[in-house]
Structures are given as structure tokens and as C-alpha cells.
Amino acid sequence: MDISGTASGAATIEAIRAAASDALGDRRLDGVAADASLVRSGMISSLEIVVLAAALEERFDLSIPAAQVTMQNFDSLRGMAQLVRGGTGRSTPPDNAAAPAEAPALRASAAAAVRRPVMLVAFTLAFLVLLDAGLGALMRGPLAQRNQAFLEQGYRLYPVGGSYSQDDLAFSIAHHRIGDRSLRGKPRVAVFGDSGTIGSFVTPAESIPGALEAALRRRYPQAEVFNLAFFMQFLAKDLMILQAVLERSGGELPFDVAVFTLGDDYFRSEFIDRLPAMMPYLALNEDLLKRFSERLPEAARAPLASMVDDLRAASRATGNPVQRWLARHSALFHYAPYFRYLVTEVLRSERPFDYAYSLGRRPFLDPVPDRPPKSVQVSLGLAEKSIDRRVVSMGRATIEYLRERGIKVVLYLKPHGPSEWRPLYRQGTNISAAEIAQELCAARRCSVVDLRWSLSGSQFTDTLAHYNADANRLIADRLARAIVREVAQ
């Protein structure tokens, strides 16, 4: 039936809303005003316009010409209702318009697909699936070595800085050297943390884990250190990575010592509450956190379950099932960091990452002023009401889980600010990460390395969150001493 046929009487706003909800597989349009923008606001994507067109065709028993499958017609519920009622342009030839007799078979099939959106969707999706499969085969085949070189042979979860990070943490772990079964050094140390720990804007060897491996090998020539840091100060993210490692190694813990980075913001509830919406990769990987919680005793699972619920809520608010599926399964999404690297680095310079490494060599403060700028808060610790106790419980449960399996644990308190400004900071009645760490390590459950005031302002790089190579060596030397003591016990 043509678009101007008998379906118009049934095309109420609520009928359109119901059809759209069924097609999208969620209730995101519930309560949305009839004239509210859907496409321009990002509520529905351009790909979903095609899905909606097919759904309206099926629900109202009509054919929508391809020329009318536009952002304008699908930007509001009212626009879709008017389209179904035949209120917009009807100049497109009818469905039964014949293809030119001289057209090749493929061209005729494509033309027919254009005239019927359902066929167009199927044709387009088949093409994209084949394209994505070909891209995946190319990256796993002829370009595999180049991609592994870009990934620094698995020495970090992402190279240089967060702009080259991979959203799928399990995919990142699959390319990390920790999965190499031939690595059986002693001791084997896994280092978890944030962008400062991973070594933003310095080489893998100059990062904290890289320098730690060099320091330990002065005592243990076969020592192996695995850099498992990833950007953002969020302990739940570290547990996602830990779960990905466990799944990759068949449930085995391929290390003897675990080092966890901590700081005040790791426990700050106001900061943690904003993270899921700010960092979509966290919601994408919530299933890893859920599966890790299932490894813990039932009495210890509630804080992790609460965090999983928060991540799922953020996922529903900021994404859709199609995007999440693509991020987990599409080669285009998985290898996007490599293509960003080609465009931003290889085409720009004969020596990739020159600019990024220059940031790691440039001091953030030189000379260091007597007083911090007004933008720097000189308070230390957190008020009791600002501490997310779920994180404390998660940390305690993780330490117990590792200890029961013979894994030593070291908590590293990251640099908080320049040592020159330490006398200006005030803690008052606040509770700092150092006190929480001591609580977690009570009864010798683990050890604490407090390096909050170990660096000069000239040893930070682009911000107070990242450190230069000299600073990383200093931190690594202190960590190495603690690890040697733990291993000797």
C-alpha cells in the first residue's frame, strides 16, 4: 500500500511511540514530547532511522519511499506520524516502478533495495558485515605485526596516552604480554593504576612498571613486571582488568605480587558518581566486574553489585544496545586506535609520538612557584560523608581474594602534589587515602608505600597526574624495596 493509504487513522503519537519502542528494544522514548528532537539531540542515531522506517512500514502496512527516510521526517514523533499519514512529499516513484531493462542484475537488486527500506537495511548490513570481517582479517593477518608494534608489543594496555586506548578491556588484555605462557620469571608483578601509573607521554621502559622491572632485576634477574594500568582513578576498573586477566589465563593468577595505585579521588563519592557517564568504557565492561564479584564470597558481593547497577544505569542513559554490541564485536571499533594512530601520527611525522613524548620531557612547573595557583586545592583527604565505602569494601575483598591464593599485595599512594607545597596543605578532620590504605593493610594483609610527597613540581609533566621518567624511576625504586620485603616473607 502507498504511504497515503488507509494507515493514517491509526498513526497517533502513542502508536508511533509504541512502534519505535519495539523497534529500538528499549523505552527511551517514553515521556518524550511529540515535537522533541530525537536525531539532533542524539537520542536516536542515523542508523536507527532506517530501523524505525522498517518498523513503521511493518506496523502500519505501508511502504515508505527511500527519499522520505530523512532526518527531518524522523526527528520527532510528530514528524513520523505525519509521514505515516501521508503529510510529506510523495514524489517518489511507487514500489512497482520497473528497473531499466538494460540494467545489470546487481544494479537492479540494489535499486529494488533502495525502494524498499527493509531490503535496503539488509543489503547495507550485509555489506557492512563483510567489510568489517575483511578489516578484521586484514588486522589479524598482513597488518598484525604492525598493530602489535603500535601496541608496543603488549607492554601496556594502550600506548603513550588515553587517546589511543581501547574501550573493550578484554580485547586489550588479549594483546598484552601477560598472556604469554612462556613468561615464567620470578617474581612476577602486576601493576594496576591510572594514566600516571601507565606512563602517559613516556616510553614503556620509562613508565613506573617499566622502571620497576629494571629495579627488581638488579635483585631478581628473571623478574617480570606487567603494566596493567588504564586511565582514570577507579578501583572497579582495575578489578575489571583483573577479571579479564583471569579469564585469559583460565582462572590462573599469572603473577606473584599485585600493586594497586590509590589516591584520595579513588574514594571520593562525588568523583565516582560522575565517572560512569563521563567514561562510557566503564559501562561497556560492567560484565567483567559482575563476573569478578562472583569469584568472591557471597557476603562480599554487595558493594560490587551496587557498582554494577550504577554502570548499567549509565549504559542505559548514554548508549544503546547496537553501539554496545559493535564496541564488543566490531573490528572497526576494536582497531580504531590503530587507525587514529595512522592518521594522527604516521602521516604527520617520521617518528610517531614525538609530540606526546615531548610532553613527558617538559616540566609542569619550572621553576616551582612558592604557592600553588588558585585553581589547585590545598586540602588533603575527604570528609567522612564523601568517602564511597563501597570502594573500601571492594579493596578489602580483593586483597583477601588475592591473599588466599598466595598473592602478595602492595598499595601505592600516588603523588598528591609537589613536595615544595606540602606545608601548605591542610587535612583537618578529613580522612586521607593513606589512612584508608593502612586500614586495608591492618594485620599485615598487605603493605603501603606512601609516595604522596615524593616528587618536586619539576618532576610532573603536563599535569599533576603524570610524571617524567626520573620521577617514575624514583617511584619504582621505592616500590621495588617493598616488593622485595614482601617476597622475602
Side-chain angles (χ1 to χ4, degrees), residues 1 50 74 105 108 122 141 147 275 306 315 323 355 393 460 471:
M1 137 178 200
V50 181
F74 284 81
N147 182 55
L275 277 183
S306 172
S315 180
Q323 289 175 324
Y355 174 73
S393 298
F460 294 88

Side-chain angles (χ1 to χ4, degrees), residues 12 23 27 41 69 81 113 122 128 135 201 247 255 314 328 404 418 441 462:
T12 65
R27 312 298 299 181
S41 67
V69 184
L128 292 176
L135 176 63
F201 311 128
E247 292 179 359
F255 50 83
R328 286 194 178 100
E404 288 172 1
C441 289
D462 63 318

Side-chain angles (χ1 to χ4, degrees), residues 197-273:
T197 308
I198 202 171
S200 291
F201 311 128
V202 298
T203 67
E206 293 172 329
S207 68
I208 292 171
L212 177 59
E213 184 172 89
L216 286 174
R217 286 185 173 179
R218 293 195 288 268
R219 174 73 176 265
Y220 305 105
Q222 303 302 316
E224 297 280 356
V225 178
F226 303 111
N227 188 339
L228 297 177
F230 203 90
F231 75 90
M232 205 45 58
Q233 300 176 48
F234 194 43
L235 181 61
K237 168 262 303 175
D238 298 330
L239 304 189
M240 294 172 185
I241 293 171
L242 176 57
Q243 174 63 21
V245 170
L246 285 164
E247 292 179 359
R248 177 74 176 171
S249 60
E252 174 191 2
L253 286 164
F255 50 83
D256 312 297
V257 181
V259 178
F260 289 94
T261 305
L262 294 177
D264 285 351
D265 278 344
Y266 274 82
F267 303 97
R268 191 184 305 275
S269 59
E270 299 89 347
F271 178 72
I272 293 168
D273 290 344

Side-chain angles (χ1 to χ4, degrees), residues 164-373:
Y164 297 110
S165 65
Q166 165 60 246
D167 283 347
D168 186 341
L169 293 175
F171 185 84
S172 290
I173 290 296
H175 291 78
H176 196 281
R177 63 195 285 260
I178 196 168
D180 186 348
R181 295 300 181 102
S182 67
L183 296 176
R184 286 289 183 252
K186 271 289 193 180
R188 292 170 292 162
V189 182
V191 182
F192 300 86
D194 49 47
S195 58
T197 308
I198 202 171
S200 291
F201 311 128
V202 298
T203 67
E206 293 172 329
S207 68
I208 292 171
L212 177 59
E213 184 172 89
L216 286 174
R217 286 185 173 179
R218 293 195 288 268
R219 174 73 176 265
Y220 305 105
Q222 303 302 316
E224 297 280 356
V225 178
F226 303 111
N227 188 339
L228 297 177
F230 203 90
F231 75 90
M232 205 45 58
Q233 300 176 48
F234 194 43
L235 181 61
K237 168 262 303 175
D238 298 330
L239 304 189
M240 294 172 185
I241 293 171
L242 176 57
Q243 174 63 21
V245 170
L246 285 164
E247 292 179 359
R248 177 74 176 171
S249 60
E252 174 191 2
L253 286 164
F255 50 83
D256 312 297
V257 181
V259 178
F260 289 94
T261 305
L262 294 177
D264 285 351
D265 278 344
Y266 274 82
F267 303 97
R268 191 184 305 275
S269 59
E270 299 89 347
F271 178 72
I272 293 168
D273 290 344
R274 295 197 307 268
L275 277 183
M278 292 167 50
M279 299 293 160
Y281 85 85
L282 295 172
L284 177 69
N285 293 282
E286 53 86 10
D287 54 332
L288 288 172
L289 185 62
K290 181 179 184 298
R291 292 199 294 273
F292 179 72
S293 72
E294 292 168 356
R295 297 178 181 272
L296 302 177
E298 190 168 351
R301 295 177 186 175
L304 284 83
S306 172
M307 196 71 74
V308 168
D309 287 343
D310 286 354
L311 294 172
R312 286 179 174 170
S315 180
R316 289 192 296 269
T318 61
N320 62 63
V322 173
Q323 289 175 324
R324 289 193 292 274
W325 189 93
L326 289 172
R328 286 194 178 100
H329 302 287
S330 166
L332 182 61
F333 276 73
H334 280 156
Y335 295 104
Y338 177 71
F339 294 110
R340 285 198 296 272
Y341 158 77
L342 290 180
V343 172
T344 61
E345 297 290 340
V346 174
L347 297 181
R348 186 176 68 183
S349 171
E350 292 182 1
R351 295 193 300 174
F353 304 135
D354 269 358
Y355 174 73
Y357 289 147
S358 72
L359 292 178
R361 294 188 292 268
R362 190 183 308 158
F364 180 55
L365 300 167
D366 189 20
V368 182
D370 293 336
R371 302 187 67 84

Side-chain angles (χ1 to χ4, degrees), residues 60 80 181 204 242 246 447-448 474:
F60 297 103
M80 285 185 262
R181 295 300 181 102
L242 176 57
L246 285 164
S447 60
V448 179
L474 183 154

